């Protein structure tokens, strides 16, 4: 008789991970629920809901009659996610902590804890995503140490696991999983792969998980909670006051407390200004934040980005891109934004240039450029450089015209 497989399910105290654990239990697996604590609610003024979430996760495990553990990654989160986040803000970028948390914490430290410490055959999460593996294949993935050499043996036969969008395209969370390592993906199950959010809620209600159904969807960054972002970030970074400057004529419009409190595309709160102004660029040398008078100003639109070294979910770039250095696919840099057709160029250092089929509003350094080919999420790379804005191009064309006429 085959041994019953042991699956460790990451439990957040929310409806999705609760139903993921329920489904695993119904499929006959030996399930252990584990709650991860990533942020210490005692070290700042705001209220983090960690304690309540942990209790909710514990109640679900009790009702499913499965063992429950909690594990703290507060130190790792601080060093590998949060300090990185602060550095990025200081550089004038806008980071994405959710992508970094999955990469460094859930699919690294937690994955190792599940497999190595708890001796699980696989881990599971409540993400809305699919892979190219059937559940049975997950258990065939013995944990192997990554190669010590820089390049794998060319003749090593490997069938990388691919990451695909979940069935509920509105809830699809592959965007947040676009940086996770292949080894962890090979040993991960996504029980909600084929389900819609509505169906998951229905299952939770039928299972009597009313305490998790009553909770609000957590959309914000957990450690900020309901607080004002500017106040939060100024608890950690010293104010660096500077000027709001009009991109159109260089007029100083007002002052701000630090460029890191502002992100591209957002409305700038400028004292004494009746009309809305929007952040279009930052100069971290002078501290100037450039603003424009309309939400869809051409200074906010660009069609080219460059990333740092791109992370391919399957470890290697798609064969077509490796062969020709160019490939057509789709792009997004915000979780639920519509996918935009694009052409990708692979650089020698593993970074990519992405040329979009149309200019996109508020492309932001520090955010992740996530690429898709059909339903497959290919991976992502952090945006480090932007091409010229439509406003800059318009000014350039105008100068050329004037020079020609002169």
């Amino acid at each position: 008789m085959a041994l019953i497989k042991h699956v460790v399910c990451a439990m957040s105290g929310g409806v999705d991970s609760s139903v993921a654990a329920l489904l695993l239990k119904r499929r006959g697996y030996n399930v252990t629920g584990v709650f991860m604590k990533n942020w210490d609610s005692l070290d700042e003024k705001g209220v983090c809901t960690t304690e309540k979430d942990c209790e909710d996760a514990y109640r679900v495990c009790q009702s499913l009659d499965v063992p429950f553990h909690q594990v703290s990654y507060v130190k790792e989160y601080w060093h590998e996610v949060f300090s990185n986040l602060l550095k990025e803000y200081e550089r004038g970028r806008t980071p994405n902590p959710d992508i970094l948390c999955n990469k460094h914490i859930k699919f690294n430290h937690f994955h190792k804890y599940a497999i190595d410490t708890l001796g699980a055959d696989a881990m599971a999460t409540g993400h809305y995503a699919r892979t190219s593996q059937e559940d049975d294949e997950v258990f065939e993935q013995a944990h192997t140490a990554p190669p010590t050499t820089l390049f794998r043996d060319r003749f090593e036969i490997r069938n990388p696991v691919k990451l695909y969008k979940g069935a509920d395209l509105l809830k699809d969370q592959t965007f947040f999983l676009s940086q996770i390592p292949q080894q962890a993906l090979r040993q991960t199950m996504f029980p909600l792969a084929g389900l819609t959010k509505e169906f998951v809620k229905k299952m939770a209600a039928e299972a009597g998980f009313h305490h998790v159904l009553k909770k609000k969807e957590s959309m914000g960054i957990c450690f900020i909670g309901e607080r004002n972002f500017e106040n939060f970030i100024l608890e950690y970074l010293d104010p660096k006051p500077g000027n709001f400057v009009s991109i159109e004529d260089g007029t100083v419009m007002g002052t701000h407390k630090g460029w890191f409190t502002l992100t591209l595309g957002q409305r700038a709160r400028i004292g004494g200004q009746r009309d809305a102004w929007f952040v279009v660029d930052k100069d971290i040398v002078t501290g100037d934040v450039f603003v424009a008078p309309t939400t869809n100003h051409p200074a906010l639109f660009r069609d080219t980005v460059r990333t740092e070294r791109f992370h391919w979910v399957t470890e290697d770039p798609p064969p077509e891109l490796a062969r020709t250095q160019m490939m057509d696919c789709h792009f997004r840099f915000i979780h639920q934004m519509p996918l935009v057709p694009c052409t990708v160029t692979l650089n020698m250092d593993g970074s990519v240039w992405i040329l979009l089929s149309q200019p996109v509003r508020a492309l932001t350094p520090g955010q992740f450029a996530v690429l898709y080919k059909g339903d497959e999420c290919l991976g992502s790379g952090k945006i480090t450089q932007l091409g010229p804005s439509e406003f800059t191009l318009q000014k350039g064309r105008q100068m050329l015209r004037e020079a020609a006429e002169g």
Side-chain angles (χ1 to χ4, degrees):
M1 196 189 121
L3 281 170
I4 296 173
K5 298 297 183 186
H6 178 202
V7 182
V8 167
C9 186
M11 306 287 287
S12 67
V15 67
D16 298 331
S17 57
S18 300
V19 170
L22 168 72
L23 288 165
L24 292 166
K25 171 94 181 186
R26 283 192 185 161
R27 286 178 201 163
Y29 297 123
N30 228 331
V31 182
T32 301
V34 180
F35 179 83
M36 272 180 289
K37 182 180 180 182
N38 294 337
W39 189 255
D40 207 330
S41 43
L42 307 174
D43 66 2
E44 23 86 357
K45 302 178 192 75
V47 185
C48 214
T49 57
T50 309
E51 305 308 317
K52 173 88 176 77
D53 292 339
C54 185
E55 192 187 318
D56 290 341
Y58 172 64
R59 281 175 64 187
V60 169
C61 287
Q62 268 191 315
S63 76
L64 292 176
D65 194 25
V66 301
F68 174 79
H69 295 261
Q70 59 169 311
V71 59
S72 171
Y73 292 121
V74 170
K75 196 166 85 234
E76 291 83 351
Y77 191 92
W78 180 271
H79 290 301
E80 296 171 45
V81 179
F82 194 68
S83 58
N84 174 302
L85 185 96
L86 294 179
K87 278 195 202 93
E88 289 285 282
Y89 278 118
E90 285 193 301
R91 287 183 189 136
R93 297 176 180 171
T94 305
N96 189 313
D98 299 315
I99 288 180
L100 294 174
C101 183
N102 281 325
K103 175 185 179 137
H104 294 294
I105 309 296
K106 193 172 275 185
F107 290 87
N108 177 26
H109 294 294
F110 179 79
H111 167 245
K112 288 175 182 145
Y113 172 76
I115 306 294
D116 301 338
T117 307
L118 296 181
D121 297 296
M123 67 174 257
T125 73
H127 286 104
Y128 289 84
R130 284 186 303 128
T131 74
S132 53
Q133 289 190 120
E134 294 299 323
D135 287 351
D136 298 349
E137 295 174 272
V138 177
F139 301 120
E140 290 159 22
Q141 302 287 359
H143 187 62
T144 50
T148 46
T149 52
L150 187 57
F151 298 103
R152 288 198 313 277
D153 178 353
R154 301 300 312 184
F155 303 104
E156 182 191 337
I157 296 169
R158 248 174 122 268
N159 205 358
V161 173
K162 296 179 174 186
L163 178 64
Y164 294 114
K165 294 177 194 165
D168 187 333
L169 293 178
L170 273 175
K171 276 298 294 178
D172 169 58
Q173 287 169 311
T174 50
F175 178 85
F176 299 117
L177 301 172
S178 61
Q179 279 275 319
I180 68 174
Q182 173 69 198
Q183 181 61 51
L185 185 65
R186 294 172 89 79
Q187 296 182 295
T188 300
M189 299 164 81
F190 297 115
L192 309 187
L195 307 182
T196 63
K197 181 76 183 192
E198 280 315 301
F199 190 74
V200 166
K201 283 180 172 167
K202 205 166 138 242
M203 285 191 74
E206 283 168 9
F209 298 161
H210 302 295
H211 64 293
V212 296
L213 271 170
K214 287 204 293 274
K215 291 163 81 159
K216 271 207 328 264
E217 279 279 298
S218 61
M219 290 309 265
I221 303 168
C222 81
F223 49 74
I224 297 179
E226 300 298 312
R227 286 175 298 163
N228 167 299
F229 176 76
E230 181 178 301
N231 296 345
F232 173 79
I233 206 75
L234 287 169
E235 283 180 29
Y236 295 95
L237 298 177
D238 295 330
K240 290 201 170 68
N243 291 324
F244 282 119
V245 178
S246 165
I247 191 85
E248 295 196 325
D249 58 13
T251 310
V252 173
M253 310 295 299
T255 58
H256 60 80
K257 291 180 185 165
W259 63 82
F260 42 77
T261 64
L262 299 151
T263 190
L264 300 190
Q266 80 170 79
R267 185 172 174 171
R269 308 233 169 272
I270 308 176
Q273 289 295 326
R274 276 225 324 278
D275 299 326
W277 285 74
F278 295 85
V279 176
V280 297
D281 211 348
K282 308 177 192 181
D283 184 333
I284 68 167
V285 178
T286 62
D288 289 344
V289 169
F290 295 96
V291 290
T294 54
T295 182
N296 283 333
H297 192 276
L300 268 172
F301 286 82
R302 300 168 194 260
D303 66 3
T304 316
V305 298
R306 185 180 180 146
T307 70
E308 62 180 23
R309 187 180 179 87
F310 201 87
H311 171 82
W312 303 102
V313 170
T314 58
E315 290 188 348
D316 296 317
E320 168 192 355
L321 183 61
R323 205 172 49 246
T324 66
Q325 268 64 63
M326 284 184 93
M327 175 182 73
D328 290 333
C329 55
H330 284 83
F331 159 95
R332 65 163 52 115
F333 77 106
I334 295 169
H335 167 39
Q336 282 175 325
M337 73 176 262
L339 287 166
V340 180
C342 66
T343 302
V344 177
T345 308
L346 182 63
N347 302 315
M348 290 295 287
D349 62 359
S351 65
V352 299
W353 277 106
I354 302 170
L355 176 62
L356 305 170
S357 63
Q358 68 210 56
V360 167
R361 184 181 184 275
L363 290 164
T364 306
Q367 292 286 315
F368 285 85
V370 183
L371 296 178
Y372 290 84
K373 189 94 172 165
D375 271 348
E376 185 185 353
C377 174
L378 298 172
S380 63
K382 191 199 297 170
I383 297 172
T384 52
Q385 213 179 326
L386 303 176
S389 71
E390 292 295 290
F391 184 64
T392 303
L393 293 171
Q394 282 171 15
K395 279 202 310 195
R397 284 194 289 268
Q398 193 179 339
M399 282 163 71
L400 284 172
R401 268 199 308 274
E402 286 167 5
E405 286 161 11

